[in-house]
Amino acid sequence: MDTSPWTRALNKFGLEDPFEPGRTAAHMRKALHDAAPHIDVTPPPVEAVRDLVIPGPAGEIPARLYIPNGSTAPAPCLLFCHGGGYVIGDLDSHDALCRRLAAIGGVRVLAIDYRLSPEHVFPAAVEDVLAAFDWLAGEGAAAVGADPARLAVAGDSAGGGLAAMLAQARRRQLRFQLLIYPLLQMVERRKSKLKALEGHIFSAITLDQIARYYFADEKDASDKRASPLLEDDLAGLPPAYIAAAELDPLMDEGRAYRDRMIAAGVPVDYKLGKALPHGYFNLTAVLPGARSLIDKAALALGDALRD
């Protein structure tokens, strides 16, 4: 029987698991929407929150700007990519986390609602993230009060993979990357270790379902934009902070990416959440100890972008 904190929380409130195998994308999204208000505590206050749209390659990209107390433009700014296996997640599902990163880190946070699969397959999400960053680093900087010389990227899970992709593609324009239990490769999904971690949100079946939704062609899984762990040239990447989870089938990939970045001369701060599952940055109501780890990541972010 699954006794993970995630499942206990869902059972307590009579909620469905968004990542239950076999669910449709619409069913997964509704389940996450219903669960979100119950699994996060109220975050610290920020000065302002503003919804906006960013020009994208296939139309406008919805976005949300979080301005911390005392922030004066031009200010350091973080581009945030939400997780959810490229299928679920939106501005609301990660609202509490973005508020906490802004409030504790003292940086502006621009969260984006990139296109999701299966309606929009790879590389739609990649293209949206790149377009959003280019806008933020260029004409959009003034609109959100961002300092183009003090930009960072962050993301959790699939969003962490998108953040790593962006750090590789725009490495000279970023000061920092915050990778939260990132999904760094989609090629090898059937590993023995996954069997011991079934029930901790992710599973081999879940990863296969994500791939079926995300890729029109399985060969796309080997594209470095989808699997940034496969990138050979890591020199010159911005300093990284990796927040890992011990009860996570993605832990090995995150550790391997840490080692490869360090070997390439990239400063990396690696923090392992002991006995914590994948997704703990969004489980502060279920796992109170997660808050301190989120705050440590936020403080590292703020320090990295401070003049």
Side-chain angles (χ1 to χ4, degrees), residues 35-114:
H38 302 286
I39 57 179
D40 255 335
V41 298
T42 301
V46 294
E47 185 174 295
V49 178
R50 177 163 58 94
D51 287 339
L52 64 152
V53 292
I54 294 171
E60 294 179 333
I61 302 170
R64 185 171 294 166
L65 176 67
Y66 301 83
I67 302 175
N69 294 326
S71 175
T72 302
C77 188
L78 171 75
L79 183 72
F80 184 83
C81 309
H82 68 77
Y86 306 108
V87 178
I88 64 175
D90 54 28
L91 298 177
D92 293 332
S93 66
H94 286 66
D95 182 75
L97 173 54
C98 288
R99 288 173 185 265
R100 183 172 292 278
L101 291 174
I104 303 299
V107 305
R108 297 187 179 211
V109 174
L110 181 65
I112 59 170
D113 200 8
Y114 55 85

Side-chain angles (χ1 to χ4, degrees), residues 19-305:
F19 291 103
E20 184 73 23
R23 294 200 188 284
T24 64
H27 198 160
M28 293 168 70
R29 291 167 190 163
K30 183 181 185 303
L32 179 62
H33 179 269
D34 292 344
H38 302 286
I39 57 179
D40 255 335
V41 298
T42 301
V46 294
E47 185 174 295
V49 178
R50 177 163 58 94
D51 287 339
L52 64 152
V53 292
I54 294 171
E60 294 179 333
I61 302 170
R64 185 171 294 166
L65 176 67
Y66 301 83
I67 302 175
N69 294 326
S71 175
T72 302
C77 188
L78 171 75
L79 183 72
F80 184 83
C81 309
H82 68 77
Y86 306 108
V87 178
I88 64 175
D90 54 28
L91 298 177
D92 293 332
S93 66
H94 286 66
D95 182 75
L97 173 54
C98 288
R99 288 173 185 265
R100 183 172 292 278
L101 291 174
I104 303 299
V107 305
R108 297 187 179 211
V109 174
L110 181 65
I112 59 170
D113 200 8
Y114 55 85
R115 286 173 289 166
L116 297 176
S117 61
E119 296 88 348
H120 306 284
V121 297
F122 174 85
V126 169
E127 293 171 347
D128 283 358
V129 170
L130 290 171
F133 177 79
D134 290 342
W135 178 85
L136 175 61
E139 63 180 296
V144 300
D147 179 357
R150 291 186 290 166
L151 300 179
V153 65
D156 65 308
S157 194
L162 290 168
M165 175 280 302
L166 178 63
Q168 292 176 2
R170 302 291 187 267
R171 64 187 72 190
R172 304 300 178 187
Q173 296 174 263
L174 284 160
R175 286 264 293 263
F176 191 69
Q177 54 177 320
L178 170 58
L179 309 180
I180 305 165
Y181 30 81
L183 178 54
L184 294 169
Q185 67 86 23
M186 292 290 289
V187 177
E188 183 185 357
R189 302 189 295 271
R190 292 280 174 173
K191 298 176 291 184
S192 59
K193 186 177 180 183
L194 285 169
K195 296 177 182 178
L197 297 173
E198 298 289 335
H200 292 287
I201 299 182
F202 251 169
S203 69
I205 294 174
T206 300
L207 288 170
D208 281 343
Q209 181 167 308
I210 288 171
R212 286 196 301 272
Y213 279 147
Y214 191 44
F215 300 120
D217 189 324
E218 175 64 28
K219 292 185 294 186
D220 288 337
S222 299
D223 190 306
K224 295 175 183 178
R225 296 172 298 169
S227 296
L229 184 62
L230 304 182
E231 173 59 56
D232 295 325
D233 181 15
L234 303 183
L237 291 182
Y241 186 107
I242 299 179
E246 187 176 33
L247 302 179
D248 185 2
L250 306 184
M251 184 182 69
D252 288 344
E253 283 90 339
R255 189 161 47 194
Y257 198 51
R258 172 202 65 185
D259 294 345
R260 292 191 56 232
M261 282 194 288
I262 291 174
V266 179
V268 180
D269 194 354
Y270 181 87
K271 293 290 187 293
L272 179 64
K274 295 285 189 178
L276 288 176
H278 186 90
Y280 70 86
F281 267 53
N282 293 97
L283 293 171
T284 54
V286 185
L287 302 166
R291 273 173 267 172
S292 65
L293 294 175
I294 301 170
D295 291 351
K296 286 179 181 177
L299 290 171
L301 167 68
D303 289 344
L305 298 184

